[in-house]
Amino acid sequence: MQNGGMHTDPQMTSTADGWRFPTIANLHSHAFQRAMAGMAERQTDPADSFWTWRETMYRFAAAFDPDSLHAVASQLYVEMLEAGYGSVCEFHYLHHAADGRPYADPAAMSRALVRAARDTGIRMTLLPVLYMTGGFDGRALGDRQRRFGHDVDGYLALVDLLRNEVDDMIHVGCALHSLRAVPPDAMQLVLAALPRDMRIHIHIAEQIGEVQDSLAIRDARPVEWLYANADVDERWTLVHATHLTEEEMLAIADSGATVAICPTTEANLGDGLFPLRDYLDAGGAWGIGSDSHISVSPVEELRWLEYGQRLVTRHRNIAVQPGSPSVGRTLLSGVAGSRARSTGFGADDDHVILDASAATLVGAGVDDVADRWIFSGNANVVRDVVVGGQSVVGGGRHREHEKIAAGYRAATRLLMQA
Ligand SMILES: [Zn+2]
């Protein structure tokens, strides 16, 4: 089955001295993790896994307050814009003070992220996360998870508080952390209370351990359970969805939901490999996210998305579609299609201009410029970025590059002493 509607032509055009593309949507971000990138790459145990990485992440998460979150997120968004991302879905669960008590403004941490988006000029779909339990068995959150937690009423009140931030540049959606963190009855209550057009994001089937726990306690795999218990449609973004049966993969493709694939993070955490080729054959919708921000580059995400498939199949040029033999163009079509579905932002003039004089783009034409952007070299060829009519990057540099980098250095030194 081919579903041509899932993919949007990236509409690249040649300008006088560059190549113009739409900005890329970053479908999955935990901004605070930018400050710990590269700091969990030492073996602590021969069985190091996602779950030991998570312990490091929790220790680090405990140190943040609204000011440090603003400084780290601002640096991250500058890096995103300079790399060609124009919008970000911020999957935000650091809600409360480290002891679990709400701040005087219960939305203080959310507003720090909104401020970072406004200061840098990136479009943001803020996804406050509902996080209630520490496992499928319904156990209470652990000490280090306390600042993540809400009950259903507290969560809906937070979503409501954030409504007054919404405008052309800031949207608010809903994130369910995962099936292990949201009990079934709470999921139903929240979904019933939300406006019909709200975007919904959820981490799902990232780890084999999560699939096994779901089978043991809910007698169904995570994606299988979700589709049996929620009306999953185009409003939904399923983050990771790495471990799928054929039936689950087809259910996602048929529902119109978008899979947010995070290739560099999934590789870094040893999650597994998304079944991209089968999913493309089923007409499935997908996009990319930089998630833990060990890399902030759509080029690297898309390159590794394709290379992972090549390594396991021992073939080349996997991500192609009928009528689209160019891998780069097919990948950019996939991410272009994901933007409106996952972020909720409509058509606009946001774009990047690639530097046509860059060594890797010399002599490029409309047929191969996408391939050469994604598959050649490591120098960033994004020269200009325009978001919401504002020029935010010129000559490869964000307009506030130095000031924001200085704020980041100061905040990160303090975080590392905490
Ligand atoms: Zn995530």
Side-chain angles (χ1 to χ4, degrees), residues 4 12 28 47 58 66 68 72 74 102 138 142 162 205 214 218 226 235 239 241 246 262 309 335 379 404:
M12 64 192 101
H28 193 61
Y58 282 174
S68 51
V72 170
S74 298
L162 292 170
S214 180
R218 296 197 187 170
L226 182 68
R235 294 175 307 148
V239 181
E246 171 94 7
C262 308
Q309 308 294 320
V335 296
I404 287 171

Side-chain angles (χ1 to χ4, degrees), residues 388-407:
Q390 298 288 314
S391 169
V392 288
V393 172
R397 297 277 274 193
H398 188 273
R399 60 191 183 191
E400 304 273 15
H401 182 106
E402 276 314 324
K403 180 179 154 215
I404 287 171

Side-chain angles (χ1 to χ4, degrees), residues 156-214:
L156 292 173
L158 173 64
V159 173
D160 224 38
L161 261 183
L162 292 170
R163 290 246 167 85
N164 60 15
E165 300 282 359
V166 173
D167 58 22
D168 286 353
M169 295 296 289
I170 305 291
H171 281 187
V172 173
C174 160
L176 308 171
H177 179 273
S178 56
L179 294 180
R180 67 178 185 273
V182 179
D185 55 338
M187 181 183 89
Q188 302 299 355
L189 285 170
V190 166
L191 293 178
L194 295 176
R196 257 312 284 178
D197 62 347
M198 195 169 244
R199 298 305 194 269
I200 302 157
H201 291 225
I202 183 171
H203 287 133
I204 199 153
E206 177 178 10
Q207 287 285 321
I208 293 284
E210 175 193 345
V211 176
Q212 289 167 339
D213 287 353
S214 180

Side-chain angles (χ1 to χ4, degrees), residues 22 31 58 63 65 87-89 145 149 173 183 192 204 228 230 245 259 262 312-313 331 342 352 384 391 397 402:
Y58 282 174
D65 65 10
S87 53
V88 58
C89 298
Q145 297 169 316
I204 199 153
T245 63
V259 175
C262 308
V312 292
T313 61
L331 292 172
S342 291
V352 307
D384 304 306
S391 169
R397 297 277 274 193
E402 276 314 324

